[in-house]
Amino acid sequence: MQTVLHTAESRGHASHGWLNSYHTFSFAGYSNPSRVHFGVLRVLNDDTVAGGMGFGTHPHDNMEIISIPLSGDLEHKDNMGNHGIIRRGDVQVMSAGTGVAHSEKNHNKDQEVKFLQIWVFPNKRGVQPRYAQQSFRAEDRHNQFQQVISPSADDAGVWIHQDAWFSLGDFDPGFSTEYQVKKAGNGVYAFVLEGDVTINGQKLHRRDGFGIWDTDTLSIEADSQAQLLLMDVPMSL
């Protein structure tokens, strides 16, 4: 078993007035050679956008881009004709493929929007760009893992071009469970959204990140009321 710990306070930070962003991995002005990616997980940004503000139209290619709102309403537009709003409980995927341009902004002028933006290297380049989103019920992740991302349209969650599975869990204090890694050669990057958990003996707190690989089982215990995101991803690019 191998592990890497990224505490919340060790993340990169950028404040632009309208945007307050914490970077688990190197991004934009934050460059850390020891924190470029975890397997195919390339970006994990914890963003807060002020009311009425947002990211203007900008391009992407050959990346799977996943947005998970934590509070507020995030508005999306792209050059494929998609225009929608995602809220807490929704998960959005954009396969950039051969190229796509999109914008993201806070739909509301009177409150912040908080969301995770996650980039995953795809397992095939040059695919046709696509957009998808799905809503998930909060009760379906109470004291269990709710799969929200998978490699197949026939599996639970929104599918992406990668052998990756993302799962969310909301756990009561003292609850314990195990997670089985989905595929040989994959590792799991755990990100604590709220509360405190212990994973394979490592105590973690709000917004800590913990990568674990060369094991097939994670033992998880909630030390307080906790919300957890697991990202089960290939370790080889």
Side-chain angles (χ1 to χ4, degrees):
M1 184 181 78
Q2 299 190 65
T3 65
V4 62
L5 174 64
H6 299 140
T7 61
E9 61 271 18
S10 73
R11 296 178 295 171
H13 180 228
S15 180
H16 302 286
W18 64 274
L19 170 66
N20 191 33
S21 184
Y22 288 89
H23 312 312
T24 294
F25 303 106
S26 295
F27 186 84
Y30 170 60
S31 178
N32 183 338
S34 67
R35 291 173 63 163
V36 176
H37 61 95
F38 176 83
V40 301
L41 177 61
R42 173 61 189 89
V43 168
L44 173 54
N45 287 350
D46 180 5
D47 289 346
T48 300
V49 178
M53 304 300 288
F55 304 89
T57 302
H58 57 282
H60 294 281
D61 66 79
N62 291 308
M63 193 68 71
E64 302 294 300
I65 299 170
I66 300 151
S67 297
I68 303 177
L70 304 177
S71 67
D73 304 325
L74 183 67
E75 185 173 354
H76 166 97
K77 288 184 180 180
D78 63 45
N79 63 351
M80 296 181 285
N82 300 297
H83 181 202
I85 297 169
I86 56 171
R87 302 173 172 86
R88 180 174 173 82
D90 298 337
V91 174
Q92 176 197 87
V93 164
M94 190 173 67
S95 298
T98 55
V100 65
H102 77 136
S103 63
E104 297 165 295
K105 74 171 186 177
N106 188 340
H107 180 66
N108 301 306
K109 291 184 168 33
D110 58 348
Q111 65 181 35
E112 296 176 331
V113 61
K114 298 177 183 289
F115 71 105
L116 302 180
Q117 181 158 130
I118 302 166
W119 296 7
V120 172
F121 289 116
N123 56 15
K124 58 183 72 172
R125 295 176 61 86
V127 301
Q128 181 177 345
R130 59 179 280 270
Y131 173 90
Q133 69 180 70
Q134 187 173 333
S135 298
F136 298 88
R137 302 193 315 163
E139 54 265 37
D140 291 339
R141 55 180 175 268
H142 179 234
N143 286 339
Q144 62 183 336
F145 281 112
Q146 175 187 54
Q147 186 172 289
V148 297
I149 294 289
S150 75
S152 170
D154 297 326
D155 200 353
V158 193
W159 71 272
I160 63 171
H161 294 283
Q162 187 52 269
D163 292 327
W165 293 260
F166 287 17
S167 299
L168 290 165
D170 293 349
F171 302 118
D172 295 332
F175 180 81
S176 61
T177 188
E178 288 192 341
Y179 176 86
Q180 300 295 321
V181 178
K182 300 290 189 184
K183 184 179 178 181
N186 275 19
V188 176
Y189 195 88
F191 189 64
V192 183
L193 298 175
E194 299 292 344
D196 310 280
V197 301
T198 299
I199 300 179
N200 286 29
Q202 175 66 56
K203 290 191 174 295
L204 303 167
H205 310 290
R206 183 181 186 273
R207 295 311 206 258
D208 285 350
F210 184 55
I212 184 166
W213 66 106
D214 289 347
T215 186
D216 55 10
T217 305
L218 276 63
S219 297
I220 299 163
E221 182 170 359
D223 302 317
S224 68
Q225 197 71 41
Q227 299 174 15
L228 183 64
L229 170 64
L230 299 185
M231 292 164 278
D232 185 330
V233 298
M235 294 303 293
S236 299
L237 294 177

